[in-house]
Amino acid sequence: MKECTVTALSDKMALGGVTLIDVRDWPEFAGGRIAGSRLIPLAQITSRSNEIDRSREVHLICRTGRRSAEAAKHLESRGFENVVKVTGGFEAWKKENLPFDRDEKAPWSIERQVRFTAGLIVFVGVLLSIFVHAYFIIVPAFIGFGLAFTATIDWCGMGILISKMPWNRRTT
């Protein structure tokens, strides 16, 4: 798999004709994206690979580079020969102070929504255990265990559920 830096990508884009696929989810894309990039979330990259021109060099970007590497493997397994992973992802793009677009009313990232929801559930559970019944302490204990467990297995059911909420669906 080929790789390029964000500055090299920026130089290529200035010349024009770059195919840039952003493999993040819509809330992340809406919160900040490179002008001219096209959103095809990682979960859809295999099923939507027919939408990508195989004859051109395809650059893949995500937040930090992990998902774009996974997307590159999916595309290469489907016969794409000219796939380039953007090293450091969108975070590196921002660190280089390169220009980007964002939706005015973009939802929070899924990760931020999960932290907010988990924190709120823990807070309410503690209040309920103090003011209603001590057994409510099970609620924050369950959330704490769930966060630790999902970090271990790198899968988050709460994140998947939150990502399906209406405010996290693309409106256009």
Side-chain angles (χ1 to χ4, degrees), residues 7-170:
T7 51
L9 174 63
S10 178
D11 293 342
K12 286 181 180 182
M13 291 184 77
L15 298 173
V18 171
T19 299
L20 177 60
I21 306 294
D22 195 318
V23 298
R24 299 175 296 161
D25 291 321
W26 180 77
E28 294 172 283
F29 184 79
R33 65 187 166 276
I34 300 169
S37 62
R38 181 165 173 221
L39 176 65
I40 301 180
L42 176 60
Q44 300 172 10
I45 199 75
T46 302
S47 63
R48 294 180 58 192
S49 64
N50 61 331
E51 299 174 23
I52 304 168
D53 186 354
R54 291 174 182 270
S55 66
R56 298 181 61 170
E57 190 172 63
V58 178
H59 291 74
L60 300 170
I61 192 163
C62 63
R63 189 174 71 85
T64 60
R66 185 184 65 80
R67 286 177 282 180
S68 58
E70 195 174 328
K73 288 178 187 172
H74 285 292
L75 291 178
E76 288 171 346
S77 73
R78 299 196 51 101
F80 283 80
E81 297 176 0
N82 228 349
V83 179
V84 181
K85 174 187 158 289
V86 180
T87 307
F90 188 68
E91 290 299 316
W93 184 273
K94 289 191 304 187
K95 281 183 185 175
E96 292 292 329
N97 293 315
L98 294 166
F100 62 91
D101 297 335
R102 73 174 62 158
D103 292 358
E104 192 174 306
K105 294 183 180 183
W108 287 351
S109 71
I110 300 300
E111 179 186 345
R112 185 175 180 191
Q113 291 179 54
V114 166
R115 290 193 317 258
F116 176 80
T117 304
L120 191 60
I121 292 170
V122 166
F123 179 69
V124 169
V126 169
L127 289 179
L128 288 171
S129 71
I130 292 170
F131 296 112
V132 177
H133 197 282
Y135 286 155
F136 278 106
I137 200 66
I138 291 171
V139 173
F142 176 76
I143 295 297
F145 173 78
L147 290 171
F149 179 72
T150 58
T152 304
I153 64 171
D154 197 20
W155 179 87
C156 184
M158 186 186 294
I160 292 168
L161 180 65
I162 287 173
S163 72
K164 296 187 184 312
M165 293 293 121
W167 58 84
N168 287 322
R169 293 205 178 121
R170 190 173 192 162

